[in-house]
Amino acid sequence: MWYPDPETLHSPLHASLAVAIEQAILTKELPAGARLPPHRKMADRLGLSVHTVSKAYESLRKQNLIDGQVGRGSYVCGPAPHPAPQRSEREGGFDFSTVSPVRNKEHSKRFQTSLQELAAELDPSALQACGAVAGSGAHRAAGARWLAACGLAAAPERVLLTNGGSLGMSAALSALTRPGDTVLADSITHNLLVSGCSYLGLKLAGLKADCDGILPDALEDACRTSGPKVLCLRPSLANPVPVMMPEDRRRDLVRIADAHDLCIVEDDPLGPVAEDRPPPVSALLPERSVYLTTLSTCAMPGLQAGYMAAPGHLRPALTSRLLSFGGAGAPLMWELASRWVTDGTMLDFTSWQRHALNRRHRIASRVFRGVSWRGHPSALHLWLPLPDGWSSGSFSQYARQLHITVAPDTPFLASGTCPPGAVRVSLGAVQDESHFRKGLELLAALLRMEPGCLPHLAL
């Protein structure tokens, strides 16, 4: 008789037991025709109630993974032609492809309450006219306060408001480059940087990196040979490979950039979510750096407000690009962001987000035990290299048949970068924690298989 490891079970116990049996069936540890222990024996062995085991078996029966006959007990039917987990309409499968913060009911409650307060207190004219492109003085002062929480000291006059990180990145690249210029970044970098450089007619060159980020020697060689104009960095839990670049590596890159008159665009969407992190690169080279951060990643996607810090000589060019790419300001979102920064709501959300991501990282550590992966306790995603025989495209398609979406590696690659065979798994879009755990467990089961052993999932 086969029994699961009781240490892998967690609350709710019936769902956890069902997942353990489902994994054993998918990996053929429990082949078709194998008998499952009777309800009472399974309950006694695992220290569960008979009712809990019955609920787990019933869940598997609904998925056509097991069946039962009088006199034979419960036995394995084998994977169905298109195996799929039981999905609630509320969750709609497992979305591990969208980078999104973890949220709960308190986020929605505070959002609704704040909007009601704004409607009652804000001068109606503020909502009926276009806002200043860079934000009002009060908005910029709140921005300077938030940047200080991110580790960057910036006077309010150095602060510009944006309608999100993507707009800030586009404006910065456009202001610092001309079509045909070379931009440097990690060889595996943010997908919006890849597409943004393409749209602006820029050459994106990927640099070699190690576990601490871009290698200084690679940056030095590129500066000598390709005449780049901009270095794009995400040193604090970069997307898609979550790396927390140590301070000495940041200083090495700053020294090289300064020696070669290279401008830096630093994207820091998580801000203070990660504690005890090194100072931003922009704090080390403020006169040659544009720093970007956004509040939607720290709190909720709907809060499309971000801050940009730049030296005074770049402000006119950046302001004109913000106007060209994003139009006039969004006073309602900027006002809400300013209030939340000022009254401490954003720091409350940041602290909550940090603890939620820590829990999810611990879950991933247990589920992917024995599997090679890259992550960080404060990151919104993890990077999952695939075993031999898998490409990111084929793995993504197999996962999709289990109603799981992940992000393949190809959109994150700078020109000329060989696909590493990996996927990005986001940790925040699946809001229910038990549902999140089950999705990861199904991914872990799929990782242990080989494509040739999955004819029932033939593409």
Side-chain angles (χ1 to χ4, degrees):
M1 285 291 180
W2 174 91
Y3 295 92
D5 182 354
E7 293 187 0
T8 64
L9 302 182
H10 50 78
S11 181
L13 292 170
H14 72 278
S16 179
L17 176 58
V19 168
I21 298 172
E22 183 178 3
Q23 286 186 8
I25 294 172
L26 289 173
T27 57
K28 298 187 178 179
E29 187 178 359
L30 276 173
R35 281 193 64 212
L36 290 175
H39 294 57
R40 183 165 296 282
K41 282 190 175 181
M42 179 71 84
D44 291 344
R45 178 69 171 263
L46 301 178
L48 305 175
S49 69
V50 174
H51 177 67
T52 296
V53 175
S54 297
K55 285 183 67 176
Y57 281 23
E58 181 61 25
S59 173
L60 295 166
R61 191 170 290 108
K62 289 180 179 178
Q63 297 179 64
N64 296 318
L65 292 175
I66 69 171
D67 201 355
Q69 293 181 359
V70 176
R72 284 194 62 191
S74 299
Y75 61 92
V76 175
C77 298
H82 296 286
Q86 286 296 110
R87 296 182 295 155
S88 68
E89 291 184 5
R90 178 172 61 85
E91 293 294 346
F94 304 90
D95 178 11
F96 294 126
S97 63
T98 305
V99 173
S100 173
V102 189
R103 305 180 300 284
N104 66 3
K105 293 181 180 179
E106 182 63 22
H107 289 74
S108 298
K109 180 180 178 181
R110 288 213 191 181
F111 195 77
Q112 291 174 332
T113 300
S114 297
L115 289 178
Q116 291 169 355
E117 292 173 350
L118 281 175
E121 301 170 8
L122 197 62
D123 188 330
S125 63
L127 303 179
Q128 296 172 11
C130 294
V133 175
S136 68
H139 294 156
R140 293 196 300 274
R145 183 170 179 169
W146 183 250
L147 293 177
C150 297
L152 182 67
E157 56 268 21
R158 283 189 56 205
V159 178
L160 297 146
L161 276 78
T162 72
N163 297 337
S166 298
L167 173 61
M169 177 62 72
S170 299
L173 288 175
S174 177
L176 296 172
T177 64
R178 295 294 179 269
D181 285 346
T182 296
V183 173
L184 303 178
D186 291 85
S187 58
I188 304 174
T189 189
H190 195 294
N191 58 308
L192 292 180
L193 177 60
V194 176
S195 58
C197 285
S198 176
Y199 298 151
L200 294 171
L202 303 174
K203 300 174 184 176
L204 180 61
L207 301 177
K208 291 183 178 179
D210 61 9
C211 61
D212 288 334
I214 291 175
L215 293 167
D217 288 346
L219 177 59
E220 185 78 53
D221 291 344
C223 288
R224 289 175 176 171
T225 59
S226 60
K229 293 296 180 67
V230 173
L231 170 64
C232 289
L233 292 175
R234 273 196 165 201
S236 300
L237 305 182
N239 182 6
V241 185
V243 172
M244 182 61 78
M245 186 182 290
E247 184 172 351
D248 58 349
R249 178 64 58 86
R250 299 180 188 219
R251 292 188 178 276
D252 287 341
L253 298 183
V254 162
R255 173 181 51 80
I256 296 168
D258 194 28
H260 292 275
D261 295 326
L262 190 63
C263 290
I264 294 175
V265 176
E266 180 180 10
D267 192 13
D268 187 16
L270 275 173
V273 168
E275 288 184 305
D276 302 324
R277 61 189 194 141
V281 171
S282 300
L284 306 176
L285 194 63
E287 291 307 308
R288 303 192 63 84
S289 299
V290 176
Y291 176 87
L292 306 169
T293 189
T294 180
L295 301 183
S296 60
T297 310
C298 301
M300 59 181 66
L303 185 58
Q304 288 298 312
Y307 299 111
M308 173 189 291
H313 67 276
L314 291 178
R315 181 184 172 91
L318 290 167
T319 301
S320 65
R321 266 65 173 191
L322 289 172
L323 177 61
S324 296
F325 294 156
L332 182 60
M333 285 296 101
W334 290 355
E335 182 65 28
L336 179 59
S338 296
R339 293 189 178 206
W340 279 6
V341 168
T342 303
D343 68 15
T345 297
M346 275 306 305
L347 285 178
D348 288 345
F349 280 151
T350 297
S351 177
W352 186 91
Q353 187 72 207
R354 182 186 307 121
H355 292 299
L357 290 173
N358 284 343
R359 287 196 304 272
R360 303 230 165 173
H361 184 269
R362 289 195 296 271
I363 292 171
S365 297
R366 290 192 290 268
V367 172
F368 291 131
R369 186 180 293 122
V371 174
S372 174
W373 59 285
R374 297 280 299 276
H376 185 279
S378 297
L380 279 172
H381 57 277
L382 59 87
W383 186 245
L384 190 61
L386 301 173
D388 292 341
W390 285 109
S391 68
S392 66
S394 62
F395 185 85
S396 300
Q397 291 185 63
Y398 275 109
R400 196 175 299 119
Q401 301 220 21
L402 294 171
H403 303 288
I404 301 171
T405 57
V406 293
D409 55 21
T410 47
F412 304 102
L413 306 180
S415 178
T417 302
C418 181
V423 295
R424 185 192 68 187
V425 178
S426 299
L427 305 181
V430 178
Q431 297 300 314
D432 181 76
E433 198 166 279
S434 62
H435 197 70
F436 166 79
R437 186 194 303 265
K438 180 174 182 179
L440 289 191
E441 288 169 341
L442 291 173
L443 274 182
L446 188 57
L447 278 173
R448 289 192 287 269
M449 303 181 193
E450 296 182 7
C453 297
L454 296 168
H456 55 283
L457 290 180
L459 303 179

